[in-house]
Amino acid sequence: MLDGKRILLIISGGIAAYKALELIRRLRERGASVPVVLTAGGSNFVTSLSVAALAGETVHGDLFDLTRESEMGHIQLSRDADLIVIAPATADILARMNCGLAHDLATTVLLATDKPVLAAPAMNVRMWQHVATRRNVADLRRDGVSFVGPNDGDMACGEFGPGRMAEPDEIVTAIENHFQATHELPLAGARMLLTAGPTHEPIDPVRYIANRSSGKQGYAIAAAAARAGADVTLVSGPVTLDPPAGVNLVNVQTADEMLEACNRALPADVAIFSAAVADWKTAAQSDNKIKKDGGGPPGLALTENPDILRTISCLEHGRPGLVVGFAAETENVLENATAKRLRKGCDWIVANDVSPHQGVMGGDSNTVHLISDGGVESWPTMTKTDVADRLVARLADALRGVANAAR
Ligand code: C5P
C-alpha cells in the first residue's frame, strides 16, 4: 500500500517527537520514502542526525537553504509529496497553519501545498482542550486536514487526559487508510480541468465588460470532483467565492488569459467549461481612463473572444477524453443546447434555463439537462452542490467505461 509513496514528515517541537523516529522506520519498512522537515522546536527533542540516519535522506531544517530556495525548495518539497504528515503536531503549529502563517520552512510548506495533510496532535491536555485549539482543529478539519489522535493517557507533564500523540502504528494505519480511501474514490487519479465564473474584458483601466455569472456551479463541481479524488485545476474568472479545498486554483481576468491557463493545465482526462466567457472584448483597450468630455459616448469597437470550449474540443493532439460544455439559454433550451453540442464539438452539454422566470442567476439551485449523443436527461431542480455531485458520479461512470473499453 505504501510502496513508492512519498510521505513528507514534519516533526514539530514536542516530547512525542521521539516517536516520530519509530514512525519513519515503520513507513520505510513499508516501502515509502520519508523526507523530513524538522522544525527548530523539533530539533530540541530529536537530532537531525538521528532523523537523517533513519530517513536515509538529508533532513530539511528550519533555516531556508538559499540554494534550494532559489529553486523554490519549499514548493518542490510539497509538490513531490503524496501526503504530508505532521507528527507531532503541536498546538502552536496547528494555530499557525490555521492562520496561514509561514515564517519557517514547515509552515511555508503547509501553506504552499495542495496535497492532503494528516496531523497527529500532541500536547498538554489543557492545551488540547483550550477553546483556541478546539477552534483551530475545527477550522482545519473544515479545510480538509485529517487528524489521528490524540489519545487519552498519562502525559509526560504528569497530567492525565487527551493529548498523547497517537502511537506510530496508529499513524501508519491512518496513512494506509488514507491511501486506501483515495485509491477507491470514484475519480481517483483523474486529471480535471474546469473553468468557472465570468470573464472581465477591460475597456480602460477602470471599466470592463462582464456578466452576472457567480461561479457557484463551477466551484461546486470543483469541490465535488476534489472530494471524489480528482486532481482538479480550476481556472476561474473574478468571483467572490472561497477557493474550494484541495483544488489548484488559477485566477484569470480575461478570456485570452483563461484560454492560456487552460492550455497550460493540459493534459487532462476531463475538461468542464462552466465559465460564462464574454463573447466579445474591446478591439483596443485604452491605456487611460476614457474621459466624459461632452463629445457623447465613445464608440466601443468589439472583436470576438476565442471560444475556449471549441478550441479545446477540436484539439487534434491532447484533447481531453471527455469534454463538457455548459449552455445557459433563455429560450428553446434543449434545441439550442443540442445544436451547440455539435457546433462546439464537445461530448456533453449541461444546459440550463436562465430566463428571468426561472429566478435570478447566481442562486443556489439549478435545473439542468444533460445532453450527450445518447440523448437528453432532464434532472429535477436541486442545489448546485447536488448537481455537482450527480455530474461527478456521471463522469466517474463514463471514465470507468473508457477504462473498461481500453482493456
Ligand atoms: O457560446 P456559448 O457561450 O453559448 O457556449 C457556452 C459554452 O461555451 C460554455 O461551456 C462556455 O464555458 C463555453 N465558452 C467558451 N469560450 C467562449 C464562449 C463560451 O469556452 N468564448
Side-chain angles (χ1 to χ4, degrees):
M1 178 56 70
L2 299 185
D3 200 24
K5 296 284 187 246
R6 201 163 166 78
I7 299 168
L8 177 62
L9 176 64
I10 295 176
I11 304 178
S12 68
I15 181 65
Y18 77 92
K19 291 196 211 168
L21 299 177
E22 185 64 25
L23 176 63
I24 298 171
R25 271 195 46 212
R26 307 257 168 116
L27 292 174
R28 292 200 64 211
E29 275 166 15
R30 285 163 175 76
S33 59
V34 189
V36 178
V37 173
L38 181 62
T39 69
S43 66
N44 289 322
F45 294 90
V46 289
T47 69
S48 130
L49 195 60
S50 8
V51 174
L54 289 165
E57 33 186 311
T58 327
V59 175
H60 306 279
D62 237 358
L63 293 174
F64 288 95
D65 173 333
L66 292 181
T67 324
R68 283 189 56 81
E69 281 317 301
S70 67
E71 295 151 13
M72 290 289 151
H74 61 286
I75 307 281
Q76 202 56 45
L77 267 176
S78 70
R79 193 175 285 158
D80 291 346
D82 296 299
L83 173 71
I84 299 182
V85 175
I86 318 169
T90 59
D92 178 70
I93 201 167
L94 294 177
R96 287 189 287 138
M97 182 169 39
N98 190 35
C99 291
L101 298 180
H103 63 253
D104 65 1
L105 183 58
T107 46
T108 307
V109 165
L110 289 166
L111 191 61
T113 194
D114 58 0
K115 296 301 166 67
V117 177
L118 172 71
M123 65 196 76
N124 165 275
V125 54
R126 285 170 213 280
M127 290 167 81
W128 175 249
Q129 286 170 342
H130 193 284
V131 63
T133 306
R134 310 303 311 151
R135 192 168 50 232
N136 289 330
V137 169
D139 286 352
L140 290 167
R141 276 191 206 281
R142 230 183 341 267
D143 292 346
V145 174
S146 308
F147 286 83
V148 49
N151 296 340
D152 274 6
D154 288 322
M155 313 207 57
C157 53
E159 295 193 50
F160 183 89
R164 280 170 64 91
M165 186 170 89
E167 295 303 321
D169 275 346
E170 292 173 78
I171 302 177
V172 169
T173 304
I175 293 171
E176 285 176 336
N177 287 346
H178 161 81
F179 285 114
Q180 178 75 29
T182 316
H183 183 68
E184 286 168 1
L185 287 170
L187 288 184
R191 287 190 59 157
M192 179 184 287
L193 161 66
L194 186 71
T195 68
T199 62
H200 285 183
E201 308 297 333
I203 296 170
D204 66 20
V206 296
R207 304 181 180 96
Y208 55 82
I209 301 171
N211 60 62
R212 291 187 193 282
S213 168
S214 66
K216 281 183 185 171
Q217 185 62 78
Y219 272 55
I221 296 169
R227 279 196 303 275
D231 177 1
V232 183
T233 298
L234 170 62
V235 180
S236 174
V239 295
T240 54
L241 303 170
D242 288 335
V247 163
N248 311 311
L249 177 65
V250 182
N251 287 306
V252 296
Q253 298 278 329
T254 65
D256 285 320
E257 289 169 7
M258 191 172 266
L259 176 59
E260 204 185 308
C262 287
N263 278 325
R264 266 202 311 268
L266 293 177
D269 302 296
V270 186
I272 304 181
F273 296 92
S274 70
V277 184
D279 290 316
W280 305 285
K281 61 182 169 188
T282 51
Q285 184 193 342
S286 169
D287 289 338
N288 293 307
K289 186 178 170 191
I290 301 171
K291 290 286 183 207
K292 189 168 63 177
D293 57 8
L300 282 184
L302 299 178
T303 59
E304 243 175 67
N305 261 328
D307 190 319
I308 304 167
L309 170 60
R310 199 173 135 68
T311 307
I312 305 284
S313 291
C314 297
L315 282 177
E316 272 188 31
H317 301 289
R319 181 193 192 273
L322 187 62
V323 181
V324 184
F326 270 66
E329 303 287 341
T330 54
E331 53 187 350
N332 305 329
V333 177
L334 293 182
E335 216 173 287
N336 287 342
T338 304
K340 191 169 288 176
R341 187 179 80 87
L342 300 175
R343 201 167 59 241
K344 301 267 190 173
C346 57
D347 304 296
W348 297 356
I349 280 260
V350 179
N352 64 342
D353 188 343
V354 290
S355 57
H357 73 268
Q358 284 292 326
V360 281
M361 260 181 98
D364 290 325
S365 61
N366 211 353
T367 316
V368 306
H369 312 270
L370 181 63
I371 303 174
S372 63
D373 63 357
V376 179
E377 224 182 79
S378 294
W379 296 354
T381 300
M382 48 184 129
T383 63
K384 288 184 174 173
T385 308
D386 286 344
V387 169
D389 283 335
R390 193 154 169 177
L391 183 63
V392 161
R394 296 301 311 273
L395 294 170
D397 288 346
L399 291 185
R400 219 171 291 126
V402 171
N404 289 340
R407 250 179 232 136

